[in-house]
Amino acid sequence: MAAPRGEFSSRFGFLMAASGSAVGLGNIWGFPTNTASNGGAAFLIVYLVLTFALAYPALMAELIIGRHARSNAVTALKTIATSNGSKLLAVTVGVVGIITVSFILSFYAIVSGWMIAFFFDPLARLVGMDGLSQWLTTDTAVRNSIFVVVFMVMTVVIISAGVKDGIEKWATRLMPSLILILILLTLYVFTLPGAMDGLRAYLIPDFSRITDPQLLIDAMGQAFFSLSLGVGTMLVYGSYISKDENLPVVGSLVALLDVGIAVLAGLLIVPAMYVALANGVEIFDESGALIAGPGLIVSVLPALFNNMGSIGILVASAFFILMTIASLTSSISMLEVPVAYSVENHGVRRPVAALLIGGTITIISLIIVFNFDPLFDLVVNFTTERSQPLLSLFICIFAAWIWKRNDILQEIKSGCPEAENGIFWKIWPFYIKFICPVAILVVYFQ
Ligand code: PHE
């Protein structure tokens, strides 16, 4: 029935793909401003602790289950289920994950489309097409629809090509470029007046903020979204890892890359905002916090780039290329979840599945574009605040309470024969059984 499964050809390939999934819009427009507004380096420390204490164990649950079952999320959870009841739960969690990730992609594609439009804007100005530039930067349903389609076509083309020739090939090209652009832009921004104030706001710790429970909850939500947890993405990527690979090590490398790139993005974004401030651009919202989210990306930073003169054109293009890359390496991981399921469980050919599912998600995106106010926030909140944490909770329950402990150990030992005596095996089972579910529930009910 199913075509032979894909596999990442190297550790580097997997790391680029998985960190590509993790590093996305959230890292660049959420993390830096959150940090600067919430106690600087103090928030960073809390975030690091939460990532490694809570999100990393949940990430490991997905990677281990995925590699053990060597299949998509639905089948993988069913494989480890032991009773009829848990098999039903497995199918439910897997299918709800597929639906959730498809809706996440539907709003992600809209925002990613903005990034592409803003990438073309400086080029239009360069050749003197001011009308086009105006059109590209004005929020209209027509512009948004066109760029949603452009972005989804790129996503579908990459996923059609498969794990090695699509996901891995593009992630290994795009992620190093992303890191390089990020470093170059950061170095350039450091030379501008105002940057050092930004650096201070970003890094000087204010420990009085970190006891705020709301802050802990936000940081945890951010950590789970950022590591792409709950919706089967990491589980599916885990299913393409070689049996010789040391899972605890590659998992921690993915978490480190995700946090590392978020921290690096902060070194660019927060100083850039203070440079904008020095240029007379408003960077704080009514509550006094730094402007975050779309407002940061489509108004604060473009205002700064416009003030920079001709070099601003280059800086703006580089920045929006960076954003597009970050989005694309995440969107392909999202589309892979339903595509892997259709290919493996329904015998659909990969390019057909990618086209049909990608097409359906594009239609959902277009419906949101034309009904933006009622739908956009609803879809974002429902998927990321309601569905994603609950799904993560169930995956932890599968790994800790349903799956046989010895089978987990055997899976980890493949590629890490000494696992039984290592620190990971001493701590992780306890975390995944008690700490992670409780922490997720606490966040959920907030
Ligand atoms: N981790 C991605 C980001 O930070 C978003 C994402 C969520 C990707 C769920 C895949 C699955 O933007």
Side-chain angles (χ1 to χ4, degrees):
M1 173 183 87
R5 290 196 97 241
E7 188 173 296
F8 292 116
S9 63
S10 64
R11 174 183 280 199
F12 182 71
F14 166 73
L15 285 179
M16 292 301 103
S19 64
S21 168
V23 173
L25 298 169
N27 298 56
I28 299 178
W29 79 31
F31 177 79
T33 43
N34 245 331
T35 308
S37 299
N38 290 308
F43 178 86
L44 184 65
I45 294 168
V46 174
Y47 184 75
L48 276 174
V49 170
L50 288 178
T51 297
F52 280 93
L54 295 172
Y56 168 71
L59 168 70
M60 288 310 300
E62 292 202 27
L63 295 181
I64 298 169
I65 294 175
R67 193 182 68 170
H68 171 77
R70 285 241 165 292
S71 65
N72 65 85
V74 176
T75 311
L77 292 173
K78 245 167 90 179
T79 312
I80 60 173
T82 42
S83 64
N84 284 342
S86 57
K87 283 203 193 315
L88 184 66
L89 184 64
V91 176
T92 311
V93 171
V95 170
V96 174
I98 289 177
I99 297 172
T100 303
V101 82
S102 303
F103 276 95
I104 294 182
L105 180 53
S106 74
F107 78 74
Y108 215 80
I110 300 176
V111 181
S112 308
W114 299 341
M115 302 303 118
I116 305 177
F118 274 80
F119 163 71
F120 283 115
D121 165 54
L123 305 180
R125 277 186 288 126
L126 190 64
V127 294
M129 297 173 75
D130 291 341
L132 180 62
S133 152
Q134 182 72 25
W135 180 79
L136 287 166
T137 52
T138 309
D139 187 22
T140 60
V142 176
R143 179 205 69 174
N144 292 345
S145 311
I146 292 175
F147 287 102
V148 159
V149 174
V150 171
F151 182 76
M152 284 304 294
V153 167
M154 298 199 288
T155 306
V156 166
V157 167
I158 295 177
I159 287 303
S160 303
V163 178
K164 214 177 272 171
D165 299 327
I167 299 174
E168 180 173 348
K169 181 165 130 190
W170 282 97
T172 48
R173 287 177 182 173
L174 294 174
M175 286 308 286
S177 323
L178 176 139
I179 295 173
L180 185 70
I181 299 174
L182 196 54
I183 293 175
L184 291 178
L185 280 174
T186 307
L187 292 178
Y188 175 67
V189 165
F190 276 5
T191 65
L192 302 176
M196 292 306 131
D197 293 333
L199 208 53
R200 265 188 288 274
Y202 182 50
L203 292 178
I204 292 183
D206 169 5
F207 285 100
S208 68
R209 301 295 310 275
I210 57 170
T211 45
D212 178 358
Q214 188 55 44
L215 197 139
L216 292 177
I217 287 163
D218 288 350
M220 194 179 133
Q222 164 109 26
F224 272 76
F225 181 74
S226 189
L227 275 178
S228 314
L229 297 177
V231 289
T233 339
M234 288 301 182
L235 196 153
V236 171
Y237 274 14
S239 76
Y240 302 135
I241 303 180
S242 144
K243 287 279 184 194
D244 304 326
E245 196 51 90
N246 183 327
L247 286 180
V249 169
V250 289
S252 52
L253 289 175
V254 171
L256 270 179
L257 275 167
D258 183 41
V259 180
I261 295 178
V263 172
L264 197 56
L267 291 176
L268 167 67
I269 298 290
V270 185
M273 292 181 86
Y274 278 78
V275 173
L277 181 68
N279 280 304
V281 179
E282 186 50 69
I283 64 168
F284 298 102
D285 62 19
E286 313 84 65
S287 67
L290 284 169
I291 295 176
L296 164 68
I297 305 293
V298 303
S299 77
V300 176
L301 294 179
L304 168 67
F305 301 145
N306 287 343
N307 276 344
M308 285 178 169
S310 45
I311 184 112
I313 295 194
L314 187 68
V315 175
S317 328
F319 180 75
F320 285 107
I321 280 271
L322 174 92
M323 294 302 286
T324 307
I325 294 176
S327 305
L328 192 60
T329 49
S330 296
S331 70
I332 55 179
S333 74
M334 297 178 200
L335 185 59
E336 180 61 16
V337 176
V339 167
Y341 170 74
S342 313
V343 170
E344 290 168 10
N345 292 25
H346 296 285
V348 187
R349 281 180 44 239
R350 176 173 273 274
V352 177
L355 190 65
L356 287 180
I357 299 168
T360 310
I361 293 173
T362 309
I363 293 172
I364 300 174
S365 298
L366 294 176
I367 294 175
I368 301 175
V369 163
F370 283 95
N371 302 277
F372 196 84
D373 284 337
L375 290 186
F376 187 79
D377 283 349
L378 185 77
V379 175
V380 174
N381 294 341
F382 198 80
T383 53
T384 62
E385 285 170 21
R386 303 271 138 218
S387 187
Q388 215 186 347
L390 270 193
L391 290 166
S392 280
L393 173 72
F394 279 112
I395 294 180
C396 291
I397 291 176
F398 266 97
W401 295 90
I402 297 178
W403 199 6
K404 292 193 197 72
R405 203 179 146 92
N406 193 41
D407 289 354
I408 309 180
L409 181 61
Q410 291 317 318
E411 186 54 48
I412 302 173
K413 274 178 145 176
S414 159
C416 176
E418 67 290 0
E420 203 167 349
N421 305 313
I423 174 140
F424 181 80
W425 189 246
K426 292 203 173 73
I427 300 177
W428 180 78
F430 177 74
Y431 261 82
I432 201 77
K433 203 162 194 166
F434 301 107
I435 311 273
C436 291
V438 170
I440 295 173
L441 280 176
V442 168
V443 170
Y444 190 76
F445 286 105
Q446 292 291 328

